[in-house]
Amino acid sequence: MTLRDVYLNASDVLSASLGCEKSSQITTQEGTRVGFKSFRDEISCNDFFGILAHFDTLLLPLFKKLQLSADELAKTSLFLGSTSLDISAVELGAEDTLWLSKTDKISQELVKRYGLNELEFTFSTACTASANACLYATRLIAQGKIEHALVIGCEFYNPLTVEGFKSLDLISATGLAAFAKGRSGLILGEGLGALYLSSTPTEQCNLRVLGGASSCDTYSLTMTKEDGSHIAHVINECLTQTNITCDDIDLIKVHGTATLGNDEAECNALSSLFIRDSLTTDQISAKQLPPIIAFKPYTGHTLGACGAIEIALFVKCLELGSYTPPSYTHSENELMWPFYHGAHFNNVDTVLFNYFGFGGNNAALVLQRYKG
């Protein structure tokens, strides 16, 4: 089968601002104050109609930018990824009955709301949810099964998620320092990201999605193996699927949650793939390795939404021509891997995007510059 190219024609994102490392504060049920990253001034639970209003804010300008007709929208399939879906709409303690919701409740509502194709998919694979949504949308377009895909990642503040991560002692009291040797845990965040993929490029297109790979690690119920072997396997499979080698990678968008085990596993995987025996110590110290960028120090960990959000943020960086590394990265001796410090992205062509989920679901994607 001859596979078609897949183009990222437009994207948009609602998240905490790039460049701002300061977190808002929320109060847990025990009265503890913890950091949280949001695109909103007031952090609170949404009812279902409030959730839909955020999608309007994200998607209506995107549709206008692409000048999509009703017929084009009707040919667009929805691929939505989220960890908590509409749990934010649940009122805690309101009643004793068990709350149940359909997994595709949001997706079905969005299909009706915007006149999308009735073929829709919902992914809930922990932190890889919208990355997997993007991966499967890319495959269906490449195989000629669909023409257009709207990939969405969404995560909304809810007490259940915050209390869960707090109970695991994973929330940092100081901030999210991805790939720092002195990291102390994550900061949660909320946000939405949208990617519009097609089999033909538009004038504003600047990236192609080459493809990727996804797999589940059965090492643990909560995490992937810390030696990085399964992550390395997924990245290697991703490179194989996209006909890319390690030498072709110019930049790595790390998952970078800043939890002790997750960053260690990811760094071990990168080391096993990119630090070869042929490289001398001087070459390694001279950074003849693809540098990394991390978005979670700014956005917080947006869980299942981070796949779409972080690709959309990278597009914004391309459009602005710059990425501002977090402040802690200027102490290079304290880093696990060199960060990108370029003034622009002129020399960046091929980018590896990593996503590694709670429970061991791991995914990687490769995107490449499209120059028309």
Side-chain angles (χ1 to χ4, degrees), residues 289-327:
L289 298 169
I292 62 174
I293 59 173
F295 291 115
K296 290 180 180 67
Y298 300 126
T299 65
H301 190 359
T302 56
L303 304 177
C306 72
I309 285 176
E310 292 176 0
I311 291 175
L313 287 173
F314 179 71
V315 173
K316 284 193 176 295
C317 289
L318 285 182
E319 293 171 350
L320 295 172
S322 66
Y323 163 79
T324 303
S327 57

Side-chain angles (χ1 to χ4, degrees), residues 177-191:
F179 270 64
K181 294 178 182 177
R183 63 198 183 281
S184 59
L186 57 78
I187 299 292
L188 291 170
E190 67 172 358

